[in-house]
Amino acid sequence: MAQKAVGVGLIGCGTVGSGVVKLLVEQAEWYAQRAGRPIEVRRVLCRAEDVGPHTAQVPEGLLVHDLDAFFDTPDMDIILELAGGTTFAKQVVERALQAGKHVVTANKALLSAHGPELFAVARQNHAAIAFEASCLGGCPVITAMQFNLAANRISAMYGIFNGTCNYILTQMTDQGQAYDEALADAQQLGFAEADPTLDVSGGDTMHKLVILASLAFGARVEEKHVPCEGIDRLELVDIGLGAEMGYEIKLLAIAEQTDAGLTLSVGPCFVHADEPIAQVKSSFNAMSLYGHAVGHTLYYGRGAGQMPTASAVVGDLINLVAGSYGALFENMATWPDQQPAPKLADLDRVTARYYLRVNALDQPGVLARVAEVLGEHGVSIAAVNQHEQSVGQFVSLVVITHEAATGAVRRAADDIAQMDVIDGEPICIRIIDMPEG
Ligand code: HSE
């Protein structure tokens, strides 16, 4: 006897939503085989204010603009939340979970801000939240970490989690394209958030790190735990100077389990040009993960854009319909709401190498004064680089430090910023030495 179809309701019909509808319509037969039952879209909610170019792609009769009309639809077992944002999205996800419906979401901002609360609501109502699409688009890192690598204690994670930033940095590095132009292209290609400030400020990367680090380290990581810097202050000069030293610049999310505790950060970093993660270009994302049993693993895939993200949403949907994910969600006690706060490291007890660039007055004694401040903070200099050309009275002075305490480097940079011979804020970029696999 044919299996009864599973009914799906979709909230939001923008870039990702329309990609999901396209897959579910075009691949219906294949998905029915994979899930063991047909999957049917019963309703698509698109608020009047969200109607856009993609809305026209919704099959006739499915579209509603009213929330109550959407939730009144009979036989809707699973809700796909693809609206984005945190206010309306939280309201609809809670309502769906309270009605005992499973939720699939691509919403990293929502889970970063309210994940633990929503996971608890899900559990109370014997429903599940599936969220592979929230991090790294079509690159299945959550499934890998939660299920396939469940045997491991994770020691470190280094990731390129934002396609827009990686696209911009690739364009600036490989093509010499200006930042504003590259950002406009990323928006046009559908990689960027509705408000691209979230991408370039590092906020979107931070949201994903909050989710992934919570899962990796069994801790309830929160946004306030992650110091976050974006790519909006970077200049071509830093990219060029880094390249001269054999480094590529990347916006990295980092989580490291050190003897002093967990360190978390988002910011531009230099990586050796021959590291695999340096070869991750354009809108591709990657995550380098170190597990105590498995060693080094690397995940790579398209992290942004319509169909890669739709691929992750539909993958979650199929696993829910097939029954595997719901059972795992109910039984595993590894979700952030069941975990304690992380034990964060004291930044005076963790070390790294740094690139420090300042605009210094091109005058006698300035280099010595910068070196003196670094010395006062116990930061040892490994190399100094200054080109002969100055811009007006100023010249770019670059110092590469030996391994130094992160807290000390930050305090030294703050003191250098106050010096009367320095113009503007120093640029401080961590140089990553990847652990041995
Ligand atoms: N704006 C995000 C990015 C989309 O550029 O990576 C995927 O989360």
Side-chain angles (χ1 to χ4, degrees):
M1 200 178 81
Q3 288 274 20
K4 187 171 174 275
V6 170
V8 171
L10 204 141
I11 298 175
C13 194
T15 308
V16 178
S18 57
V20 168
V21 171
K22 180 176 154 64
L23 283 181
L24 290 176
V25 170
E26 288 179 2
Q27 304 292 334
E29 221 171 289
W30 175 233
Y31 297 159
Q33 283 177 35
R34 304 213 79 167
R37 296 164 70 180
I39 299 172
E40 285 176 7
V41 180
R42 300 258 154 83
R43 275 283 177 273
V44 177
L45 173 70
C46 180
R47 291 179 301 172
E49 63 265 41
D50 294 335
V51 170
H54 295 292
T55 316
Q57 294 163 29
V58 177
E60 216 166 303
L62 293 183
L63 196 67
V64 287
H65 299 295
D66 175 70
L67 195 55
D68 290 328
F70 175 81
F71 276 106
D72 284 346
T73 305
D75 297 329
M76 223 166 47
D77 311 291
I78 300 176
I79 303 299
L80 313 184
E81 185 279 304
L82 305 170
T86 52
T87 311
F88 172 70
K90 180 164 184 273
Q91 187 193 337
V92 291
V93 166
E94 278 172 344
R95 184 161 168 181
L97 294 171
Q98 279 155 359
K101 298 177 195 300
H102 297 314
V103 169
V104 178
T105 180
N107 194 331
K108 55 267 163 148
L110 177 69
L111 294 181
S112 169
H114 303 293
E117 194 183 330
L118 293 172
F119 284 115
V121 176
R123 195 161 294 102
Q124 282 151 20
N125 291 282
H126 301 290
I129 302 177
F131 51 103
E132 183 62 71
S134 67
C135 298
L136 282 73
C139 181
V141 290
I142 290 176
T143 304
M145 218 162 51
Q146 273 298 83
F147 308 128
N148 313 111
L149 296 182
N152 287 269
R153 289 279 181 185
I154 304 299
S155 57
M157 169 193 293
Y158 303 86
I160 294 173
F161 292 170
N162 185 270
T164 301
C165 289
N166 205 45
Y167 176 84
I168 294 171
L169 293 178
T170 303
Q171 290 299 105
M172 289 172 79
T173 304
D174 294 354
Q175 315 292 337
Q177 193 179 17
Y179 171 88
D180 289 340
E181 254 179 55
L183 171 57
D185 286 354
Q187 287 178 278
Q188 214 253 322
L189 289 163
F191 303 150
E193 298 301 297
D195 173 5
T197 315
L198 261 181
D199 296 294
V200 297
S201 68
D204 177 78
T205 300
M206 183 266 285
H207 293 154
K208 294 166 183 165
L209 182 62
V210 166
I211 297 168
L212 294 174
S214 294
L215 300 177
F217 298 96
R220 187 191 285 233
V221 175
E222 295 178 55
E223 296 181 1
K224 66 180 182 197
H225 298 143
V226 187
C228 178
E229 210 185 310
I231 62 166
D232 37 3
R233 282 182 64 223
L234 277 184
E235 294 180 28
L236 276 171
V237 64
D238 296 305
I239 294 174
L241 289 167
E244 279 176 27
M245 296 180 286
Y247 297 121
E248 187 101 13
I249 201 152
K250 294 289 177 196
L251 182 72
L252 287 192
I254 302 178
E256 295 167 312
Q257 189 66 66
T258 71
D259 292 343
L262 184 64
T263 67
L264 299 159
S265 65
V266 168
C269 294
F270 282 124
V271 287
H272 293 271
D274 54 2
E275 286 286 353
I277 210 160
Q279 313 303 327
V280 177
K281 303 279 184 176
S282 191
S283 70
F284 280 90
N285 281 192
M287 182 170 83
S288 221
L289 194 75
Y290 294 76
H292 85 286
V294 73
H296 180 211
T297 58
L298 178 68
Y299 307 85
Y300 171 82
R302 284 197 190 276
Q306 183 184 47
M307 298 318 287
T309 313
S311 158
V313 170
V314 175
D316 271 348
L317 174 60
I318 291 171
N319 289 327
L320 271 169
V321 175
S324 56
Y325 186 84
L328 290 166
F329 185 87
E330 181 122 21
N331 293 330
M332 289 174 84
T334 57
W335 310 101
D337 62 305
Q338 298 160 306
Q339 299 297 320
K343 181 183 169 297
L344 297 175
D346 171 355
L347 293 186
D348 283 326
R349 291 189 55 213
V350 290
T351 59
R353 296 191 302 127
Y354 285 91
Y355 160 107
L356 202 68
R357 179 176 63 80
V358 290
N359 282 326
L361 263 189
D362 201 2
Q363 280 181 1
V366 171
L367 173 58
R369 285 181 61 191
V370 170
E372 192 182 351
V373 173
L374 288 166
E376 281 165 5
H377 287 279
V379 177
S380 175
I381 295 171
V384 176
N385 182 356
Q386 180 182 310
H387 285 203
E388 227 179 321
Q389 323 88 300
S390 48
V391 181
Q393 303 167 280
F394 292 95
V395 68
S396 269
L397 170 63
V398 174
V399 169
I400 306 295
T401 73
H402 282 295
E403 284 270 317
T406 296
V409 173
R410 292 198 183 156
R411 287 191 293 276
D414 287 345
D415 285 357
I416 289 170
Q418 302 305 318
M419 291 167 69
D420 55 3
V421 290
I422 299 299
D423 182 41
E425 293 283 318
I427 300 291
C428 189
I429 300 176
R430 183 173 160 189
I431 300 171
I432 304 295
D433 297 300
M434 293 284 182
E436 290 297 313

